[in-house]
């Protein structure tokens, strides 16, 4: 058990993962870099709900902003938790020539 910001949790604390970079790719894919240094591919088409429909607009999707370790779009009207991005993404590894493995 641990306490954070006046709230008691039954679990043990985990290291908070943060997003440090998000690069938009084709077909609403993103190359995301995390605070661990790990890079992963995230398919934003997996995001459900009316708020995420705005990402179909290339002018919005192509301009993410990292705010407090979270990807945001459209003047912070849209965001997604870094833990969700990590869980729903796949590892992205490249060889010495920069080609995907």
């Amino acid at each position: 058990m641990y306490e954070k910001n006046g709230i008691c949790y039954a679990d043990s604390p985990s290291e908070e993962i943060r997003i440090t970079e998000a690069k938009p790719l084709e077909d609403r894919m993103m190359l995301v870099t995390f605070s661990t240094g790990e890079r992963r591919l995230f398919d934003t088409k997996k995001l459900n709900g009316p708020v995420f429909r705005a990402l179909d607009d290339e002018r919005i999707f192509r301009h993410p902003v990292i705010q407090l370790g979270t990807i945001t779009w459209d003047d912070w009207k849209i965001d997604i938790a870094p833990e969700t991005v990590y869980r729903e993404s796949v590892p992205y590894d490249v060889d010495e020539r920069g080609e995907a493995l």
Side-chain angles (χ1 to χ4, degrees):
M1 186 160 96
Y2 70 100
E3 181 265 331
K4 181 177 179 182
N5 298 328
I7 301 172
C8 289
Y9 297 89
D11 203 355
S12 57
S14 60
E15 177 132 354
E16 189 174 291
I17 192 162
R18 299 171 78 78
I19 294 171
T20 59
E21 184 178 1
K23 179 181 177 185
L25 304 173
E26 296 299 318
D27 199 27
R28 283 194 45 195
M29 295 292 289
M30 297 196 86
L31 179 57
V32 181
T33 305
F34 292 89
S35 53
T36 61
E38 189 175 358
R39 295 189 321 164
R40 296 175 68 89
L41 287 173
F42 178 61
D43 184 354
T44 64
K45 292 184 306 260
K46 291 182 174 184
L47 300 173
N48 295 316
V51 70
F52 296 114
R53 288 188 198 129
L55 297 179
D56 289 335
D57 183 335
E58 283 285 315
R59 292 172 296 166
I60 293 173
F61 172 73
R62 293 267 171 208
H63 296 93
V65 173
I66 306 303
Q67 181 76 11
L68 301 173
T70 300
I71 302 173
T72 69
W73 293 269
D74 199 19
D75 292 326
W76 304 286
K77 294 176 190 157
I78 305 168
D79 64 21
I80 182 75
E83 298 84 2
T84 300
V85 175
Y86 189 87
R87 185 176 52 251
E88 297 294 326
S89 61
V90 295
Y92 177 80
D93 295 314
V94 294
D95 63 17
E96 61 277 354
R97 295 178 306 221
E99 295 181 14
L101 298 174

